[in-house]
Each structure stands twice: as C-alpha cells, then as structure tokens.
Amino acid sequence: MLQKNTSGAPCTRDTRIIRLADNLGVMTIAPYGESIIHVAIFPSEPFVLPMWGVTAAPDASVKVEITDTESGYTFTLPNLEAQVDRATGKVSFSDARGRRLTELTGYGLSPAEVSGESTFRVSATFVASDDESYYGLGQHQFDMMDQRGRAVRVWHDYHGENGEGESIGVPFLVTNKHYGVIFDNPSRTTCTPGVDAQTAWTSEVGDALSFFVVSGDTADDIYFAYRTLTGETPMPPKSALGYIQCKQRYRTQDEMLAVARKQREKGYPCDIFVVDWDHWKVRGDLDLDTDYWPDAAAMCAEMKSMNLRVMMSIWPRFMKESRHYDALESRGWFMKDAEGNTVYGIPEDQRGAVIDTTNPDAGEYYWNAVREGYATKGFTSWWTDENEPDVCPYPFYLHAGTGARVTNIYPLTHTRAVYEGHRRDMPERCLILSRSAYLGAQSNGTTFWSSDISATWDFYRRQIPAGLNFCATGFAYWSSDIGGWQPLPEKPERVPVKVLLDPEPAREIIGLHDDYPELYVRWFQYGSFCPTFRAHGTRKENEVWSFGPEAEKILVKYLKLRYRLMPYIYSLAHNNNRTGAPFMRSLWMDFPNDPNVRDIRDQYMFGPAFLVAPVTAQAAESREVYLPAGASWYNFWTGEMFDGGRSITVDAPIDTLPLFVKAGSVIPVGESIQHTDQKQKNIELHVYPGADASFDLYDDDGTTYAYEQGDFSLTSIKWNNAAGKIEITGDKAGLFSGSESQWLKIVARG
C-alpha cells in the first residue's frame, strides 16, 4: 500500500486550495462550503474527478484562511478546519468551536488490475473515539441502528449480506460527533466504523482517494451540507404523502377500477394506485397488454375523475422479442460483457438485457419510450423497479466505466433520466419510486422502498432501523411494503398461542397464518408514520377491507389520521426541501446529549413533535418506551404527561400505535379528507405546552413546480409557553394563487 508522508513536501496554494506534493503523490484540500472540506490524494498530478452524485463545485464565496507553520498547514473555513501534519501527513479536522472531530491517520493507493484495467485499490483510515456512534451508509436490513463495530458492505445487493433483505450502498457515514464523511467512490466499498479505535474505508477501484468531511452543531447542519453537495430534494406532489394502494398484482383494468371504486364508495382516503409488473405482452415493450388493459387512457381518466392517480412500474429489462430491443441493440445501449456482447441476463435469470442508462443518450431514449407507452395514456408517476440493477453490473461493462468501477451509480443515472424527461415534458411534479439509491438520487424526485421483503414479524421489525439509517444517509422519503411482499408459505413456521384479531374472515387470503391480520395491522400502523405510506404484497387481496371487519376498522382509523395530519406532514416536506433534513429521524438527531438513545432501533421521531414506538412483537398488548431526556412527553391518545429520561410501559392494544408528543410542540391538524386534492380549509393548531414551540405551516398547489417561483404560503407559528400565548406571523401568512382562506383554530392539548 502506498503510504503518504508529506515530510519536507513543498506546499503550493492560491487563496482557496492547498496542494501538497512529494515523490509519492499529490494531496489537494478545497472548500465546498462553510462546513465542507474536500480532500483528494492523487498518485501524480491532480485531474478532474467524476464525483458521481456530487453536483457542487468548490465554493468561491467561502472565506478561506490558509496558514503555513513549522509543524504543518492549516486550512480554515468559518465552521470547519483541517490541519495537515508536515511530518506524518495526517490530517485532523476540527469545528469552529475547536472540537476535534476526527483525524485521517492512514491512506493509500495500492496498484491493482480489475476488469482488465490498471487501477488502484483505495483506502483511508480515520480515528474513532470510544463514545462515537455511526449511522447511514444506505439501507442495510441487519437489525442495527448504531453500526459501530461491524464491517458494512457499501454496495447494492438484492439479497443482502445474509439474505436479510436488499442492501443499498451509499458511502455517506454520519456520526454523533458533529460530522459526517462522504467517501467519493462508487465501486464496491467496505466501511468498518469504530473497529479497533478506527474507521476504515476500502474501495476496490479508483484512480485517486477522494472524500468530503462535513460538520455541524446539529444533525440538521450536516444534512444541509449534504444537500449543498448533492442537490435539494424537490417537493413531492402532495398525493405522494397520502396513501398508495398496491398489490402484486392488479391483473386487469377492470380489477383495478373495481377496487378504486370501492375505496371511494367506502369513503376511505387514498391518492395513488399502482400498476405492478407483468402488465406488458413482452418485457421491454414499455406498454400495456391490451388483452387485459384494453383502454388504459379511459381507465386513467376515470381514476382521475375519482381524484386518484396511477403509478406505473417500469423496468430496465428488454427481451429480444420486445418492441424496443432491436433499436437499443443496434445502438449498443445495453450492458456488455468483456467481449462487447450484450449481457442477456445471467444463467439463472434470462429475463432480458439491461438498458445502460449511465449513457445519457440511452436514458433519453428510455424516457421517450416511457412517455409514449404510458404518460400519453394518463399515468403520472413511475416505479423504477429492479434499478440496482438486479443483474449486477459488477462483472460487466457500462458506458460510464467497468461495472467494478461504477458498481453503485445505476440508480442515480436511471432515476435522473426519468426525472429530467418528466420535468421537461409533464406539468405535474415527478414522483419516482426507486428500489435503490446513490449519492444525489434524492434530487431526482425519488422515494425509496426496502424491496421484496418477507411477510414475517422478523422482517417487519428490521424495517425500522433499516429505514432510519437510510433516512440518516440524507434521503427523506422511504417506506417498506406494508405487510411484506413475499407470499405467505403454505405452512406457518409456528402456530401462535394467542392472536389479537380473528383470522377467520381473512382465511382465504391468509391460509393457515392465524396471526397475519395482526401483523398487517401493526405494520400498517407503522407505515402510517413513514414518509411514504404504501401497502403492497403478494396476496389475493390487499385492501383495507381484506383482513376482516376488526382489522378494517383499525386500518381506516390510521388512514384518516394520516390525512388529518397532512398539514403537518406537508410542512415537513417543505422543511426537507429547504434544509435537507429528513423527517423520519433517529433519536440521536434530536437528543444528542442523551447517550441512552444512540442505539434505540425501534423508536423514532416523525418530525419535531411525534415520538413513534411501533409494536413489533406478536400478541403484544403493551411495550416499553424510552422517553428521551431533555423534554417532557404527552401520550398522544390519553393526554397523560411524563418526564423524559426514563422508560415506561405503555398499553398498546391492537388498535393503538404507541405515540407520544414532545412538550413544546405545535401540530397543525386538518379536517378529514379522502384525497389531497381536497383543500383542508379549517386547520386546528394543537398546542402541547411545557416549553416554547415554533412551527412553519406550509402549503402550495400540491402538484406543480410553481412553488419554485415563490407561489406558496408560509405561516410562522410561535408558542410562548410562559405567557400561554400563540403568535402567527410571516411574510407569506396569506395565500398562494388559487388557494382558499385558511382558518387557524387553537386547540390546547396539555
């Protein structure tokens, strides 16, 4: 391994960038923001790095101070500083308060040949303190919150490391010590946080070592830095925050319409229905089989008349018999093998070739085909299934480079192709449901989900930390398939001694799985407090009335609660658009001074007010809930108040999701509606006293990008706890164009 040492190395610099060189290579240090430093180490002269997903450039407006001392060099930004030791080459990072954040102690470029090209294996080692915890790195379903002490594979894997569910590799690690590291390398990378007092990164392919250190006093400061580097998350259509009805699968146009009509006849809230895979004659047609979907345009029009939108599953796979295969093959726009031949699946999966959307021209073709086949018929949002892609590019070749070099970028370029085409050609905001992600994919109008998980209590339980770490990686929108995607096996692993819901009304759907209605209800309760709220699964029926009247009553309760909370949730979406901060939040983000929350994996904050504690044990009718220190807490259902910093046992009968509200909260609550096109004219401000509070209530037209030109309303709400008064102000406290008057009513909850 090449071990850098800058002893005696000359240092050249302009007023903004340090460049250190010796016979072993060149190190550059550059500012990308007031709290963002980029470090790169090249084997020889610096060159332009691809930086997949990073859209920012060095920031010329940031004040930079560079000093040269006897011991080394100091690179100072307003909120972050790097000190380079002249003798050892180590780089230490401190924040504006003088707190030592971390230190780069070792780094190397080891020559290697991978996929036929000469390259380097890249490594870097950072100091890890004893009380440091680590979050992010994408989605990993191994039931961990704090990832300290584990080697994490940072690459996409449909099966996961041990078959525990799909892994999504995103090289962004966030700690509880006021900093994060973005490791700029899309090849197969391993990160070992906090092992033997160090955090090590190793990547299989790279021409240089490249990483960013970002810092902040709060977790939200770190996510603002991530947003600065990789792009903002657009406002989703408001419908994306409502209920999405889906199953594997609605097989015909008539079947979907019948379910949609029944949803409306029952008066149950819903905004989006989904047409899943196998709706085509041939995979790759990017069109519907008219034997089963004879008039998709008429179907979408009827759905629209019921204020329901339709999402379409679009795959990146093309069979030879499909209408687009020959055009793509003739242009060389499929993933290739070492001999330059199209990779037509793999031996155990011959379901077609993968379009190479790392090539922008192929991406443009793909969107145009989607628009022609689906958008012209009235479909408005896109499910980019299998976009890891599921035929792993690692041993193959893409336009952007060898599969080994750019293993992780496909979901970034694939969703970008769809997003950019949609924004150009369609008036309604883009919504993409993506199965995988990479740095910057949040800027493509995306929400994500945890793939084809099993319908078990174990998989359900592991969704909570998996989703929290994924959101901690800088992605606001995520969900799991409520109820699990995989079909229930013929025989259950065990027969429960006790079940909380009568299984008999659902027997035709659940088979011998007596506890499944209970599992579905518990999962649905959790899903109603996820950023995206979507049911899915391989079941004969999968609607809220499918699991018996007892279950139906409970499911509708949470459907209606979700929609009553839409003013709160939509305002959280605005805050994410503005700041980059996720709103499904691990407890360490909001309670950094409470060490007890660092590895809590089954509770989280949903925005600034709600503490959510899902029930994940079969037949449980109570659970222990830890109430973080530094606040008092109200039981949402009973109004009882508790001091923080302790655990309590909470009643949780089958109709109750344990919910607490932080004292010092204002929650805007609207009237019941059936879909988000209905305006909630009468907003109640539910005040939970005990501390001062503030909340920015946001609204816009919910569908277009007019908000980017300032067409929105923003109402600033402040609660003065000592005075017992609320103040409502703001430059945009009035209306956005086309809106109706908004009446705010104060409701005391304390």
Side-chain angles (χ1 to χ4, degrees), residues 410-646:
Y410 190 88
L412 170 67
T413 61
H414 194 67
T415 56
R416 179 187 294 158
V418 175
Y419 176 72
E420 291 180 348
H422 181 114
R423 280 219 62 166
R424 182 190 65 224
D425 296 337
M426 300 184 71
E428 188 166 309
R429 294 176 201 165
C430 184
L431 171 63
I432 297 172
L433 176 61
S434 174
R435 198 161 84 176
S436 196
Y438 190 65
L439 297 168
Q442 79 285 343
S443 64
N444 294 335
T446 43
T447 182
F448 306 87
W449 96 105
S450 59
S451 189
D452 300 339
I453 51 177
S454 295
T456 67
W457 289 92
D458 175 58
F459 267 84
Y460 162 46
R461 184 186 69 253
R462 289 192 273 117
Q463 297 314 295
I464 302 172
L468 291 174
N469 267 315
F470 184 77
C471 291
T473 312
F475 302 98
Y477 300 103
W478 177 92
S479 66
S480 61
D481 289 344
I482 291 174
W485 184 82
Q486 300 288 355
L488 294 168
E490 286 189 19
K491 295 182 180 180
E493 292 185 3
R494 67 180 183 86
V495 177
V497 174
K498 176 185 178 182
V499 294
L500 302 184
L501 288 170
D502 181 7
E504 290 306 320
R507 185 63 69 195
E508 188 177 354
I509 299 167
I510 67 174
L512 300 176
H513 295 264
D514 288 1
D515 61 332
Y516 188 75
E518 179 188 337
L519 172 61
Y520 193 90
V521 163
R522 290 303 195 189
W523 208 322
F524 196 93
Q525 291 169 346
Y526 161 62
S528 69
F529 280 85
C530 284
T532 307
F533 183 22
R534 184 180 65 95
H536 190 36
T538 306
R539 291 172 282 280
K540 183 179 179 180
E541 293 183 26
N542 197 52
E543 290 73 47
V544 293
W545 53 82
S546 300
F547 304 102
E550 292 179 275
E552 181 177 353
K553 182 179 179 180
I554 299 167
L555 299 179
V556 171
K557 169 183 174 179
Y558 286 90
L559 266 180
K560 291 183 176 180
L561 177 60
R562 173 77 176 202
Y563 278 76
R564 289 206 69 200
L565 290 175
M566 191 58 64
Y568 175 79
I569 296 169
Y570 199 55
S571 298
L572 301 182
H574 161 69
N575 186 65
N576 170 255
N577 167 254
R578 183 178 58 85
T579 69
F583 55 91
M584 189 165 84
R585 301 169 64 83
S586 310
L587 296 180
W588 64 269
M589 294 182 183
D590 296 301
F591 305 97
N593 298 321
D594 186 346
N596 296 316
V597 306
R598 284 168 37 188
D599 196 33
I600 291 180
R601 61 194 70 177
D602 63 351
Q603 300 177 205
Y604 59 95
M605 295 298 294
F606 190 69
F610 284 102
L611 173 67
V612 187
V615 175
T616 60
Q618 196 273 316
E621 296 184 89
S622 65
R623 65 153 291 175
E624 186 177 274
V625 176
Y626 180 76
L627 302 175
S632 296
W633 299 90
Y634 291 91
N635 184 313
F636 176 76
W637 305 108
T638 69
E640 187 177 2
M641 189 175 181
F642 300 88
D643 293 332
R646 62 181 177 135

Side-chain angles (χ1 to χ4, degrees), residues 166-186:
E166 178 153 351
S167 298
I168 300 174
V170 184
F172 179 27
L173 182 68
V174 183
T175 85
N176 64 328
K177 293 295 184 180
H178 306 285
Y179 77 95
V181 173
I182 297 171
F183 204 71
D184 172 34
N185 191 304

Side-chain angles (χ1 to χ4, degrees), residues 327-398:
L328 292 167
E329 175 74 345
S330 67
R331 292 167 171 82
W333 285 348
F334 289 125
M335 188 165 63
K336 304 294 185 182
D337 63 17
E339 287 71 44
N341 301 311
T342 291
V343 176
Y344 197 75
I346 51 180
E348 63 270 23
D349 178 4
Q350 291 289 310
R351 296 183 298 170
V354 177
I355 188 172
D356 182 4
T357 48
T358 72
N359 182 333
D361 293 334
E364 174 75 4
Y365 180 99
Y366 184 75
W367 163 252
N368 287 333
V370 168
R371 178 175 52 80
E372 175 194 357
Y374 300 123
T376 57
K377 297 177 174 65
F379 296 95
T380 59
S381 51
W382 318 109
W383 182 356
T384 56
D385 209 341
E386 296 217 346
N387 70 340
E388 304 85 5
D390 71 325
V391 175
C392 179
Y394 178 78
F396 304 121
Y397 296 80
L398 296 167

